[in-house]
Amino acid sequence: MAARRPDDEGGDGALSSPRLRYGTPERAGLDAGQIARLVEDVRLLTDGPRPWCAGAVVLAGRGPVIAAQDACGWAVRYAAYDETAGRGLGLPFAARVPMAADTPFDLASLTKLFTTIAAVQQIERGTLGIDARVGAYLPEFTAAAEYGVTVRGLLTHTSGLRPELPLYAAPDAASRLALLRAEAPSSKPGEYVYSDLNMLLLQHLLERLTGRPLDVLVRDGITRPLGMTATSYGPRAGAAATEDQRRPWAKADRGMLRGEVHDENAWALGGIAGHAGLFATAYDLAVLCRTLLNGGSYGTARILGPDFVDLMLTAPGLGFRIDQPWFMGELAGAGAAGHTGFTGTSLVLDPATDTFLVLLANTVHPRRRRADNVPRAAAATRLARAVTGPPGS
């Protein structure tokens, strides 16, 4: 992690960490040519009749310096998806909404990182045991209790729970809760199976443990102390549009979505869920990356101690994915951490080089499709190749 300097002190004498500021690639210890190509590569993703995304915001930096931030394409490009023609129905140019650097995005599964941090905060305080059984906190979740599902299993996706449940199809909140309570592991405990259900159970556990809803835990424990004023659960005005959500390709008929959570289960749960539901800007996510690279502190705020940041970011990782070349490119290999989201969002932070990359795109606008992570990996590789000297100051 980046070391704090003796002169990094706040006005009250408390040790502080450098805050983000905009600067040149050279100031950040990055090659300007590689950074320029990174930005240009992202811009090309919004071009052509079938672009990778309608629009995107990319932000890259090293140390406390943001070396590049760029917005391209459209936050809203399509009016609907034409199933017969197999393409989006584009809005007239005058009706489209250009992408801006401060456009909020539906983070989708990047929400899991915030739920993870909220849990690790409780582990640090000693109120939650990482190897404790979920049934000790939620005895009414009878299947998890019977099979000995642990907090660590939830955080590492090794609980054995299947990827998801059709909660959106249940008739009411009581039925949705009953499904979760009765859900038993479907694979061998200890085997990695990425599952939204892990974070839904973790949400219920945290809310039971603290007596506070998840959105309050995220706000009071993470976003407010870090000054992440553009990060919150929806609905969110001005957000990038996502999908013309209709059956048969989607699980619900909701029409073109903008500012409402895309994930059908999160929507059925009221928009606040452990696995999805948050909206944020690229800058706010850069603040989160910088905080973790600083060992849990940003400015005079501290949300975690360095040992607990290391616990979260050391392989196999808690919530975060570690060294995954399929979306981290050449940044992977020495402890890079990050995550992706179904709507087209991703972030990567690399303690070895003190770099961070946020790429937010509305790849599901106007319709979801098979994930293509090649552009994410390519952007991360550009950043890895840009590292020249020591981090900026």
Side-chain angles (χ1 to χ4, degrees):
M1 298 296 172
R4 291 178 297 167
R5 301 175 302 173
D7 60 344
D8 287 332
E9 301 214 357
D12 59 357
L15 284 174
S16 66
S17 302
R19 293 178 178 272
L20 288 173
R21 59 182 176 274
Y22 290 91
T24 63
E26 294 87 352
R27 181 68 172 168
L30 296 169
D31 179 77
Q34 289 287 353
I35 295 299
R37 285 191 284 273
L38 190 164
V39 171
E40 181 59 25
D41 288 348
V42 172
R43 282 187 160 269
L44 291 173
L45 297 173
T46 67
D47 289 343
R50 294 182 182 273
W52 183 71
C53 60
V57 178
V58 62
L59 187 154
R62 191 178 186 205
V65 181
I66 296 173
Q69 182 174 11
D70 189 64
C72 53
W74 306 97
V76 184
R77 177 174 177 172
Y78 302 100
Y81 179 76
D82 186 335
E83 185 178 5
T84 302
R87 59 181 177 83
L89 295 175
L91 288 163
F93 276 92
R96 297 182 184 184
V97 179
M99 192 68 76
D102 61 353
T103 297
F105 281 76
D106 179 339
L107 296 185
S109 284
L110 294 193
T111 301
K112 293 180 172 73
L113 304 183
F114 292 80
T115 307
T116 295
I117 293 170
V120 175
Q121 287 175 333
Q122 296 302 318
I123 293 169
E124 180 178 28
R125 291 168 189 159
T127 56
L128 179 63
I130 190 170
D131 289 311
R133 296 192 173 197
V134 171
Y137 301 92
L138 300 170
E140 70 275 22
F141 281 63
T142 53
E146 179 183 351
Y147 285 87
V149 172
T150 65
V151 173
R152 189 187 296 272
L154 300 181
L155 287 167
T156 57
H157 294 284
T158 57
S159 66
L161 294 171
R162 57 175 157 159
E164 67 172 355
L165 277 171
L167 302 177
Y168 53 86
D172 51 43
S175 300
R176 289 187 281 273
L177 184 57
L179 285 173
L180 276 175
R181 288 176 171 175
E183 181 66 15
S186 59
S187 60
K188 183 179 178 181
E191 177 185 346
Y192 181 86
V193 177
Y194 182 78
S195 172
D196 289 348
L197 303 186
N198 289 318
M199 292 296 157
L200 286 173
L201 263 64
L202 192 59
Q203 174 186 1
H204 281 277
L205 189 159
L206 290 171
E207 291 180 341
R208 175 68 56 81
L209 179 67
T210 64
R212 295 186 291 168
L214 182 62
D215 59 329
V216 174
L217 291 174
V218 169
R219 183 195 67 202
D220 291 352
I222 305 171
T223 60
R224 187 157 63 185
L226 295 180
M228 296 171 63
T229 57
T231 302
S232 64
Y233 286 91
R236 188 65 179 276
T242 52
E243 184 180 28
D244 182 9
Q245 199 170 89
R246 288 184 279 133
R247 294 182 176 90
W249 58 84
K251 303 162 190 171
D253 291 306
R254 300 168 63 200
M256 185 62 75
L257 300 177
R258 186 187 185 198
E260 296 183 25
V261 63
H262 174 271
D263 182 270
E264 292 94 341
N265 275 345
W267 164 68
L269 293 168
I272 299 171
H275 70 291
L278 277 173
F279 288 76
T281 61
Y283 183 87
D284 266 21
L285 292 177
V287 169
L288 182 67
C289 290
R290 191 70 251 146
T291 300
L292 298 175
L293 288 168
N294 284 335
S297 67
Y298 185 75
T300 57
R302 178 174 288 283
I303 62 167
L304 279 174
D307 290 346
F308 289 89
V309 173
D310 287 343
L311 175 67
M312 193 165 53
L313 301 186
T314 299
L318 301 181
F320 287 78
R321 303 299 308 276
I322 310 299
D323 286 336
Q324 301 293 310
W326 57 273
F327 78 95
M328 299 179 185
E330 292 179 11
L331 278 180
H339 214 285
T340 64
F342 186 81
T343 51
T345 58
S346 62
L347 64 81
V348 183
L349 55 102
D350 181 28
T353 58
D354 203 22
T355 55
F356 53 94
L357 173 68
V358 179
L359 177 56
L360 303 180
N362 51 356
T363 58
V364 298
H365 183 54
R367 181 189 159 173
R368 68 185 68 189
R369 52 189 166 175
R370 187 181 182 89
D372 177 8
N373 291 293
V374 171
R376 293 186 176 111
T381 293
R382 286 287 190 199
L383 181 57
R385 294 177 179 178
V387 174
T388 56
S393 59

